[in-house]
Amino acid sequence: MDHGTNKAGPARDDMMKKELQGELKADRALRAEEDHELEPSGEDQPEVSRIAGGTAPGSVPDGMTPEAVEIRTEMAQHLRRSLYPADRDTIVSTLRENNAPDRLVALAQRLPENERYENAQRIVESLGLSR
């Protein structure tokens, strides 16, 4: 066996083995990891939004109350996309079929009869809960 061509060598192998055993026993990395947090903009650079669309997930869009966002979300959960466009009676019957809460059914019954709705947002708007 030619030890001259082995780049690590037996001593280095033993050292690496001990390091690996320590990591396995600790169930975590023992080496310091580089921090991957974004750093703030420099003094001469403009502020940058971390959110691509400008609205943080879970926040309330302009013109909507937190209650309206909650109602829109629940409506969307109980009404499938293939339903649209739909009229009031179709929306009410679908909500009942999907065991939606009574308050959602009651809200849907307040919708004007002669309109068709393209999505949950339009339903919320028609109820006067959004812009």
Side-chain angles (χ1 to χ4, degrees):
M1 178 183 238
D2 184 16
H3 291 287
T5 59
N6 186 347
K7 292 184 181 182
R12 176 95 170 124
D13 287 345
D14 289 340
M15 184 180 73
M16 289 173 68
K17 184 177 177 182
K18 286 180 184 178
E19 284 180 18
L20 183 59
Q21 284 178 347
E23 286 184 28
L24 291 173
K25 287 179 184 176
D27 196 29
R28 63 179 171 79
L30 297 178
R31 297 182 186 102
E33 293 185 19
E34 186 176 330
D35 193 15
H36 295 289
E37 287 292 314
L38 295 175
E39 293 186 18
S41 300
E43 291 177 13
D44 60 338
Q45 297 174 350
E47 289 293 320
V48 178
S49 173
R50 293 180 181 213
I51 302 158
T55 303
S59 67
V60 179
D62 291 337
M64 291 187 78
T65 64
E67 179 190 22
V69 172
E70 182 180 332
I71 290 170
R72 179 185 68 183
T73 301
E74 286 187 63
M75 286 279 188
Q77 288 172 345
H78 289 91
L79 301 171
R80 62 191 178 282
R81 288 184 186 171
S82 62
L83 176 75
Y84 302 109
D87 60 7
R88 180 189 75 177
D89 293 337
T90 305
I91 291 169
V92 170
S93 65
T94 304
L95 286 171
R96 285 185 177 142
E97 288 170 13
N98 292 333
N99 300 316
D102 291 337
R103 66 184 181 90
L104 288 183
V105 174
L107 282 171
Q109 289 172 331
R110 291 184 12 209
L111 291 168
E113 257 183 89
N114 56 353
E115 286 189 44
R116 293 186 68 75
Y117 304 93
E118 300 85 32
N119 53 38
Q121 178 66 32
R122 281 287 301 125
I123 293 171
V124 172
E125 288 172 2
S126 184
L127 290 168
L129 300 173
S130 180
R131 41 184 143 99

